[in-house]
Amino acid sequence: MFRFILFFGWGLLLPGLFSCSRNVQPPAPVYPVPSPRQLAWQHLEFYAFTHFSINTFTNKEWGYGDESPGLFDPTNLDCNQWAQVIKEAGMKGIIVTAKHHDGFCLWPSKYTEHSVKNSPWKDGKGDVVGELSDACKVAGLKFGIYLSPWDRNSALYGTPEYITYYRNQLKELLTNYGPVFEVWFDGANGGTGYYGGAREKRTIDRKTYYDWPGTRKIVRELQPDACIFSDAGPDVRWVGNERGVAGETNWSMINKDEFAPGLADREVLNHGLENGKDWVPAECDVSIRPGWFYHKSQDNKVKTVNQLVDIYMKSVGRNGNLLLNVPPDRTGRINEHDVQRLKEFRKALDEIFARNLAAGKRVHADIWRGRNKQFAPGNVTDGKEETYWCTDDSVKTGKLTIDLGKREKINLVLLGEYIPLGQRVKSFKIEVLLNRVWKQVAGGTTIGYKRILHFAPVTTDKIRITILDAKACPVLNRVEIYNAPEKYFQAD
Ligand code: FUL
């Protein structure tokens, strides 16, 4: 009998003792999840827009389409300077306005006379798109294309023939200039224009006119790795405003088929949908100046460092990517005012994220998946993107306590979900231990790829992150903690 108990007793005990080495499966994805191209895009985080065209020379924001190409004459165009300035600011790529609403093409398109080929610049032999794509390659930056669907110059606009014209231009851009990481389809569509001399109003059906599925197919065929941006995605969505601000709640999901470029619910774009069926993360576009194009009168209106930091916290810090417009001036270079400001902004970001106080620090959790090392709490401070802490399938809450080892002044926490398994967290709070009492310093709803929270400085040695609710078991891959210079968070 004793033998019997001993045998079965051990049998019961053993799995408990060796549970750490048990093979525990990772959690199943919560669909939808990002495609590889969307994942690569998300990692870029911060990149530039360069609005540059005939408007730069007419001092307008929207050209009517009747501007003479003869006006385009940058005195010292230098795309290597754009690339250098943008790279030094820490941005990962450039999207150029190859054609804005006025229809003027920055490359010598063979389908129109309204382009650089009829400008005095380089005797009509120049190609801004070509120079910029080369400069991006040299600098190691990604290269993207904005091709306005609305064309106020083309006589064809509004007819079916225009779609062929538009697609021919798209093919030129996607064939002749190397890899493209993003194709930007603007939502401003239709209205008054020159239209080859007709000078009238042309309205189109935003949902059907462009046959967007057909156009997207061309992008997929010619540049399979490129993300397609528009109000309706399909890869990346507009954030719903031009201030660069994502909603505090920001899901990377929407129902994309309900929208078309220029036809979307801005609230949904800003916040996403918890139960949206398509993964379409938000891109936050904003200009460093009041206008998208360069205007000398705005030289003293370049956004301040603190305004830019605020935008960064509300875009990258809210599960979005930041697309910051830096418009080259009439010389064809990024203006000194903007160069200076970008340097200061970079310095601020470097100082804010100078020292991650949580790096490599011990983390305690009340629970982790199967008590298996693979999913241990320490994964959130190991600096690795691919390792994560997660709970058992039935558990949608959890507490992570980071032990800094000594008391430190802190005011910023950065959290991240491992998004290849989907976006899950619905609610969380952040507490610090003060005089043996946990005090809440911040909290929120969604996390997503990155969530950054700034709060009034406190001195503590323990920080507790509590996941209060999630769509399924939470999967976190990063917790970073900083003591950022407070001066960057003060309103100007
Ligand atoms: C808008 C356009 O109308 C603006 O001119 C600018 O290009 C901005 C990024 O998108 O829809």
Side-chain angles (χ1 to χ4, degrees):
M1 180 62 186
F2 180 68
R3 267 189 184 180
F4 178 78
I5 290 172
L6 202 69
F7 181 76
F8 282 95
W10 274 112
L12 289 171
L13 258 175
L14 277 175
L17 274 178
F18 295 105
S19 60
C20 286
S21 56
R22 237 177 31 204
N23 185 20
V24 179
Q25 292 302 310
V30 171
Y31 290 101
V33 297
S35 66
R37 74 167 80 82
Q38 288 173 316
L39 259 186
W41 171 89
Q42 192 89 57
H43 284 109
L44 299 176
E45 296 185 14
F46 179 30
Y47 41 89
F49 229 167
T50 47
H51 275 64
F52 181 64
S53 187
I54 203 87
N55 292 342
T56 314
F57 300 88
T58 56
N59 209 22
K60 285 186 187 165
E61 277 292 306
W62 278 13
Y64 191 68
D66 61 350
E67 300 80 13
S68 163
L71 296 170
F72 185 85
D73 196 13
T75 49
N76 188 18
L77 184 117
D78 184 357
C79 290
N80 287 309
Q81 186 254 3
W82 307 10
Q84 267 323 306
V85 167
I86 283 162
K87 191 185 167 91
E88 278 164 25
M91 295 191 245
K92 298 290 178 345
I94 304 179
I95 300 177
V96 66
T97 49
K99 179 182 89 169
H100 203 252
H101 309 328
D102 50 72
F104 181 80
C105 300
L106 289 183
W107 80 105
S109 171
K110 68 176 185 218
Y111 300 100
T112 180
E113 292 306 306
H114 202 53
S115 84
V116 283
K117 76 182 174 200
N118 287 318
S119 79
W121 177 63
K122 295 197 167 176
D123 292 328
K125 306 272 182 309
D127 180 346
V128 182
V129 175
E131 290 195 20
L132 185 59
S133 79
D134 288 348
C136 283
K137 275 178 209 128
V138 171
L141 291 174
K142 302 274 180 195
F143 175 66
I145 295 287
Y146 171 114
L147 183 70
S148 171
W150 184 22
D151 188 321
R152 303 173 96 190
N153 173 262
S154 173
L156 300 175
Y157 189 77
T159 71
E161 288 73 43
Y162 174 76
I163 306 308
T164 308
Y165 171 79
Y166 184 72
R167 289 180 179 169
N168 281 336
Q169 293 194 324
L170 189 62
K171 285 178 196 163
E172 286 182 319
L173 292 168
L174 300 182
T175 311
N176 300 332
Y177 299 101
V180 167
F181 86 100
E182 184 169 326
V183 182
W184 224 86
F185 294 133
D186 199 290
N189 284 314
T192 56
Y194 173 67
Y195 303 128
R199 296 185 182 276
E200 61 189 10
K201 186 170 182 188
R202 293 187 181 172
T203 39
I204 48 99
D205 182 330
R206 293 170 181 216
K207 196 128 204 168
T208 56
Y209 175 59
Y210 295 99
D211 175 25
W212 283 114
T215 301
R216 289 180 198 131
K217 224 171 113 203
I218 295 169
V219 181
R220 292 288 191 248
E221 274 164 25
L222 297 176
Q223 296 277 349
D225 296 333
C227 274
I228 302 175
F229 165 98
S230 84
D231 293 356
D235 301 313
V236 176
R237 73 175 198 263
W238 185 42
V239 78
N241 63 68
E242 294 184 341
R243 292 175 287 110
V245 174
E248 273 195 74
T249 296
N250 181 20
W251 295 100
S252 288
M253 297 84 83
I254 59 167
N255 294 322
K256 64 179 163 56
D257 295 341
E258 290 171 9
F259 296 160
L263 210 64
D265 181 329
R266 289 184 180 212
E267 276 300 299
V268 173
L269 292 176
N270 198 239
H271 298 287
L273 293 173
E274 182 184 325
N275 293 312
K277 63 180 177 45
D278 307 296
W279 185 273
V280 192
E283 180 184 83
C284 308
D285 62 326
V286 60
S287 185
I288 196 165
R289 290 162 170 255
W292 290 100
F293 286 90
Y294 175 83
H295 309 287
K296 190 162 182 37
S297 61
Q298 296 181 351
D299 277 354
N300 59 357
K301 299 208 170 85
V302 177
K303 288 192 171 57
T304 65
V305 171
N306 286 18
Q307 284 170 334
L308 292 170
V309 167
D310 187 52
I311 288 169
Y312 187 90
M313 295 297 154
K314 290 173 177 166
S315 53
V316 176
R318 289 184 182 174
N319 187 35
N321 273 3
L322 173 55
L323 174 59
L324 179 64
N325 180 60
V326 189
D329 65 17
R330 285 188 187 178
T331 66
R333 294 166 61 89
I334 294 179
N335 191 268
E336 249 335 286
H337 290 87
D338 310 65
V339 172
Q340 208 33 50
R341 194 52 43 82
L342 284 174
K343 277 190 185 147
E344 293 161 12
F345 181 38
R346 182 68 255 162
K347 185 167 170 276
L349 289 176
D350 287 345
E351 287 178 16
I352 290 168
F353 299 106
R355 201 159 74 90
N356 172 13
L357 298 166
K361 290 290 156 60
R362 281 185 44 208
V363 187
H364 169 82
D366 54 343
I367 180 169
W368 68 94
R369 196 172 183 80
R371 294 253 150 193
N372 189 287
K373 217 177 126 220
Q374 198 189 339
F375 309 108
N379 288 343
V380 298
T381 55
D382 67 359
K384 291 185 196 144
E385 182 89 17
E386 298 300 317
T387 61
Y388 51 82
W389 161 80
C390 66
T391 60
D392 293 310
D393 282 339
S394 55
V395 182
K396 294 180 183 174
T397 60
K399 287 186 174 66
L400 286 172
T401 306
I402 292 94
D403 186 349
L404 297 180
K406 66 174 169 62
R407 281 159 58 78
E408 301 265 14
K409 191 170 154 197
I410 63 163
N411 61 355
L412 202 94
V413 169
L414 187 154
L415 306 173
E417 287 184 78
Y418 180 70
I419 57 168
L421 294 177
Q423 190 181 349
R424 299 158 176 249
V425 175
K426 295 209 278 191
S427 170
F428 67 94
K429 66 176 176 180
I430 302 174
E431 296 159 302
V432 299
L433 195 61
L434 293 179
N435 302 323
R436 297 198 196 156
V437 178
W438 288 106
K439 179 179 177 264
Q440 181 169 341
V441 289
T445 51
T446 53
I447 295 178
Y449 171 71
K450 264 193 186 177
R451 181 76 199 264
I452 309 175
L453 296 112
H454 170 252
F455 45 86
V458 283
T459 301
T460 184
D461 60 347
K462 288 190 182 60
I463 296 95
R464 187 163 76 179
I465 319 289
T466 305
I467 305 300
L468 297 162
D469 196 11
K471 288 181 72 172
C473 63
V475 182
L476 259 62
N477 65 350
R478 67 179 123 225
V479 175
E480 298 174 13
I481 299 170
Y482 297 93
N483 175 22
E486 269 299 305
K487 64 177 178 186
Y488 293 125
F489 297 92
Q490 278 143 21
D492 292 303

